[in-house]
Every structure is written in structure tokens, then in C-alpha cells.
């Protein structure tokens, strides 16, 4: 932590403590003014007209001050039982529970160093917990764009993973962006053929290379001023792209293992970076499997927009075994991409 940050942190803490002291003083004053019953027992020999007429006991309401040390902050990192919160340019570590996600806006107590409340989320990107398929794992909250970083070679394109990200993104409420990195490795434009179905669906696609700098201006422009998530298989070049967009980050990058071309897992937890163009990027750990959270079979069909209006005889057609299925016919004629249809079938049996 820099000296400047330490100074700011001290300043916030001192301010919070002063506010707490003030609130306590105020409270004790109010309590002092409260009506209290007389301590002594009344003398039974006292005659009635000598008696002091006490006002009827009015219960004074004590207006407790709202906790003046509770501030609003933005969650920049989460870990087991804690999260790092950004507030007025200062980063504070607070206690929190598993419900707090990176990107959350929270109310937190600067004195107790504790998250008090997670504010309503605009968007939520989730997946199933890889260790417990019945649990939701929130990847990030309040994001504007989910950038699915992929490469066509080293590691090879995995369309199934793109389809899962597209579904999770649509469900999250954020916008999708398909970032094709390592285009410097392409020998022939025909290698871009596998992206056709996404182009046809109107998904925003950026072709770029962290190595040569090609397409980076377009990528930077798409992200400017937005809260974004970088997601994708490890080894596709997420860290390299971040370094290329902001060379001062000096993020470690891993080399792709030649044996399996799967890439090493260089990033182990999500981290947040601020780019000079005003973009905030949450870099997520590279993953191999992406379990869709809370997507029923009937929901799944709706995420494959190219299946719409294909004239299936049943409105609840699963497009698997039904006679006269218009989707299967369209796959047969090439009007629907076979890769997308296979992806649908795979998700149907595994999600
Ligand atoms: P991450 O796991 O997604 O963060 O991937 P890294 O950024 O660590 O990159 C994995 C490997 O791919 C590294 O060896 C990078 O040097 C390499 N790499 C990244 N971007 C490019 C690119 O545009 N072209 C080429 N040829 N290699 C790249
Ligand atoms: Zn059908």
C-alpha cells in the first residue's frame, strides 16, 4: 500500500471513529433527559395535598442515530470470509460472507470492518459451483459487458464453451462480446469460418492480437467506461490483452503447454483492474468447464435464437426426437449451424 493510500485510510478511520463518538455522546444526552421514576418510596404518612403531583409518565422515544460509520463501497476482490472494498479511492479489507461478489455495491461499517448489506444488483453473472452443482457461484455483479476471450489456435477454439458463456451472459443481463485473440497465428482467413454462426446472431466480435497490437484500439473502445468481465479458457491470452491495453499492469502470463495446448492456470482468483480509458476489468481465472446455473431445458431452447420460428409442430418441441421438427430440418439443410445444434444437445444432457 502506498503512503498516500495509508494516509487516506487513516483519515477515513479517524473520521468514522469521531462520528461514532459523536453518536454515542448524543445518545447518552438523550438518555439523561429521559423521565425516571423516583428512587425513594413515597412516605405513606404524607397528606394528600402536600403530595407532589407528578406528571403522567411519558415514555420518551430514543431516536438512535443511524450508524454514521456505514459507508457505500465497491467490492474489488473477494476471498474466504473477507472482501476488499474501494471507497473514496481507499481500499479496505472487511469481513464478509460468501454472498458478496466482486463488482457488488455494499454498505459497510468502516469501524467494524464488516459488510452490512449488499445493494441490489443490476446484473449477475453466475455458474454452478464446480464442487456442488446445487450451489450458485456468482462470478461478478453489476457488469456491463462479458468479454469471452477465445483463441482459434493454441488453445483451439471450443465453441461449446462460447455457447455456455453466451447463455450465462444473456441470463446475467449484461452484453456479450466475443474477443478472438491471437489472430497473428492464423494462416488463412477461412479459419474464421467457425465464427459465422455468432456473426449471424449479431454478437459483437473483435478480432485482435495481444502480440501484434492488432484490433486493440477497437477492443479498448468497446470497453471504455464500462465494468467488464474477461472470461474464457486459460491460455487464450486474457492477461496478455490486459497488459497490452495497460502496460503498467505487468501481469504474469503463462505459456501454453505444448503437450496438451490447454494452458496453465496462471490466474487463481478474480482480480479487478482499472484501465486508462475508464474501463474496469474483472479478470476471472481460466476455466475448463462452465456449468450453467438455473437454466431449465425449456429455458435452454430460448437462448438459441436461431431455433425460433422454424415451424416445429409442437410448441414445446425439444428438437431432439419429435417428428417434423423444423429445427432438425434446418440443421440438415445447413440453415442452422450443426456446431450450435450439437452444443445445444450437449448442454441438454449435461447442464
Ligand atoms: P490467460 O491464461 O488467458 O491469461 O493467457 P496469457 O495471457 O497468460 O497467455 C497465454 C500464452 O499465450 C502466453 O504465452 C502468451 O504469450 C500467449 N499469447 C497471448 N496473446 C497472444 C497473441 O495475441 N498472439 C500469440 N501468438 N500469443 C499470445
Ligand atoms: Zn423442434
Amino acid at each position: 500500500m502506498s503512503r498516500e493510500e495509508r494516509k487516506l485510510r487513516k483519515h477515513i478511520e479517524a473520521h468514522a471513529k469521531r462520528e461514532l463518538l459523536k453518536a454515542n455522546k448524543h445518545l447518552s444526552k438523550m438518555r439523561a433527559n429521559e423521565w425516571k421514576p423516583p428512587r425513594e418510596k413515597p412516605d405513606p404518612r404524607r397528606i394528600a395535598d402536600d403530595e407532589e403531583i407528578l406528571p403522567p409518565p411519558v415514555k420518551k422515544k430514543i431516536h438512535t442515530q443511524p450508524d454514521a460509520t456505514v459507508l457505500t463501497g465497491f467490492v474489488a476482490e473477494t476471498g474466504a470470509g473477507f472482501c476488499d472494498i474501494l471507497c473514496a479511492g481507499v481500499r479496505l479489507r472487511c469481513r464478509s460472507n460468501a454472498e458478496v461478489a466482486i463488482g457488488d455495491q455494499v454498505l459497510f461499517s468502516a469501524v467494524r470492518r464488516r459488510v452490512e448489506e449488499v445493494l441490489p444488483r443490476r446484473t449477475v453473472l453466475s455458474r454452478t459451483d464446480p464442487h456442488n452443482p446445487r450451489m450458485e457461484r456468482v462470478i461478478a455483479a453489476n457488469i456491463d459487458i462479458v468479454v469471452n476471450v477465445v483463441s482459434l489456435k493454441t488453445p483451439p477454439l471450443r465453441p461449446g464453451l462460447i455457447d455456455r458463456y453466451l447463455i450465462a451472459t444473456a441470463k446475467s443481463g449484461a452484453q456479450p462480446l466475443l474477443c478472438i485473440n491471437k489472430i497473428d497465428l492464423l494462416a488463412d482467413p477461412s479459419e474464421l469460418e467457425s465464427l459465422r454462426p455468432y456473426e449471424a446472431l449479431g454478437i459483437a466480435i473483435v478480432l485482435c492480437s495481444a502480440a501484434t497490437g492488432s484490433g486493440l484500439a477497437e477492443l479498448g473502445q468497446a470497453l471504455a467506461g464500462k465494468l467488464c468481465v474477461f472470461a474464457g479458457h486459460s491460455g487464450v491470452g486474457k492477461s496478455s490483452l490486459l497488459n497490452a491495453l495497460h502496460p503498467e499492469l505487468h501481469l504474469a502470463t503463462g505459456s501454453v503447454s505444448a503437450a496438451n495446448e490447454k494452458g496453465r492456470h496462471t490466474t487463481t482468483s478474480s482480480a479487478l483492474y482499472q484501465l486508462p480509458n475508464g474501463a474496469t476489468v474483472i479478470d476471472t481465472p481460466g476455466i475448463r468447464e462452465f456449468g450453467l446455473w438455473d437454466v431449465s431445458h425449456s429455458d435452454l431452447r430460448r437462448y438459441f435464437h436461431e431455433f425460433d420460428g422454424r415451424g416445429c409442430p409442437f410448441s414445446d418441441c425439444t428438437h431432439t426426437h419429435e417428428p417434423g421438427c423444423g429445427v432438425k430440418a434446418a440443421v440438415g439443410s445447413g440453415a442452422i449451424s450443426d456446431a450450435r445444434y450439437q452444443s445445444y444437445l450437449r448442454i441438454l444432457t449435461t447442464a
Side-chain angles (χ1 to χ4, degrees):
M1 190 189 309
S2 72
R3 250 186 76 204
E4 198 59 19
E5 276 181 330
R6 258 201 304 276
K7 242 170 92 185
L8 269 167
R9 178 187 280 199
K10 265 193 181 160
H11 176 77
I12 281 198
E13 283 176 0
H15 170 77
K17 275 182 191 154
R18 270 202 308 277
E19 290 299 320
L20 193 65
L21 277 175
K22 252 199 249 168
N24 279 341
K25 255 191 201 164
H26 187 69
L27 209 59
S28 354
K29 248 193 212 167
M30 290 181 98
R31 283 193 181 128
N33 289 339
E34 226 184 337
W35 176 83
K36 290 190 191 75
R39 286 244 169 125
E40 294 156 294
K41 279 191 179 167
D43 184 349
R45 288 167 304 173
R46 277 167 84 178
I47 47 168
D49 48 356
D50 268 1
E51 229 169 73
E52 194 186 348
I53 298 169
L54 291 168
V58 181
K59 261 203 168 173
K60 272 193 187 170
K61 206 172 169 192
I62 301 172
H63 296 283
T64 45
Q65 289 275 93
D67 187 345
T69 70
V70 171
L71 307 166
T72 310
F74 172 81
V75 177
E77 197 178 329
T78 59
F82 76 87
C83 68
D84 280 2
I85 296 173
L86 292 179
C87 177
V90 182
R91 199 174 172 120
L92 281 180
R93 184 152 289 193
C94 286
R95 270 177 295 136
S96 67
N97 58 25
E99 260 139 56
V100 176
I102 194 163
D104 263 331
Q105 290 282 351
V106 293
L107 295 179
F108 71 100
S109 164
V111 165
R112 294 193 197 104
R113 288 289 184 92
R114 189 177 72 188
V115 171
E116 303 288 350
E117 194 182 328
V118 176
L119 296 177
R121 292 164 170 164
R122 271 188 307 118
T123 59
V124 191
L125 180 67
S126 298
R127 62 185 285 209
T128 50
D129 189 307
H131 307 294
N132 181 357
R134 286 197 195 153
M135 251 178 72
E136 176 183 14
R137 174 88 68 88
V138 175
I139 300 170
N142 299 318
I143 44 204
D144 300 301
I145 305 178
V146 176
V147 184
N148 184 192
V149 184
V150 301
S151 64
L152 294 163
K153 275 183 177 172
T154 350
L157 191 74
R158 289 185 52 199
L161 194 54
I162 299 180
D163 297 327
R164 283 170 184 263
Y165 273 120
L166 287 178
I167 294 168
T169 306
K171 198 160 186 284
S172 76
Q175 290 299 314
L177 175 70
L178 198 47
C179 173
I180 319 293
N181 189 32
K182 307 197 188 186
I183 55 159
D184 55 295
L185 298 179
L186 298 188
D188 192 323
S190 68
E191 292 178 84
L192 294 169
E193 204 56 30
S194 42
L195 302 174
R196 275 276 162 82
Y198 305 108
E199 214 175 24
L201 285 166
I203 309 288
I205 301 176
V206 176
L207 301 177
C208 59
S209 165
T212 65
S214 153
L216 290 183
E218 198 191 333
L219 179 63
Q221 223 166 21
L223 311 184
K226 303 270 172 40
L227 178 58
C228 320
V229 161
F230 269 28
H233 197 283
S234 67
V236 292
K238 296 186 295 295
S239 310
S240 305
L241 283 172
L242 284 167
N243 281 338
L245 290 168
H246 189 20
E248 283 170 34
L249 288 176
H250 299 295
L251 300 178
T253 59
S255 59
V256 177
S257 142
N260 59 11
E261 295 198 336
K262 284 218 161 162
R264 278 193 292 132
H265 289 259
T266 39
T267 319
T268 52
S269 62
S270 294
L272 185 128
Y273 305 102
Q274 253 136 9
L275 306 186
N277 65 2
T280 303
V281 178
I282 296 167
D283 188 19
T284 62
I287 58 139
R288 289 190 184 158
E289 302 303 330
F290 187 98
L292 290 171
W293 171 251
D294 193 26
V295 176
S296 68
H297 286 182
S298 52
D299 282 347
L300 182 62
R301 297 195 277 278
R302 281 182 225 123
Y303 290 114
F304 283 77
H305 293 298
E306 63 270 59
F307 293 0
D308 298 346
R310 296 288 176 181
C312 293
F314 310 106
S315 62
D316 59 349
C317 185
T318 63
H319 317 309
T320 53
H321 60 279
E322 293 86 347
C325 168
V327 168
K328 284 213 298 188
V331 175
S333 72
I336 288 179
S337 141
D338 187 49
R340 286 273 292 168
Y341 179 64
Q342 294 307 325
S343 200
Y344 165 75
L345 294 181
R346 221 168 305 124
I347 299 171
L348 207 56
T349 51
T350 56

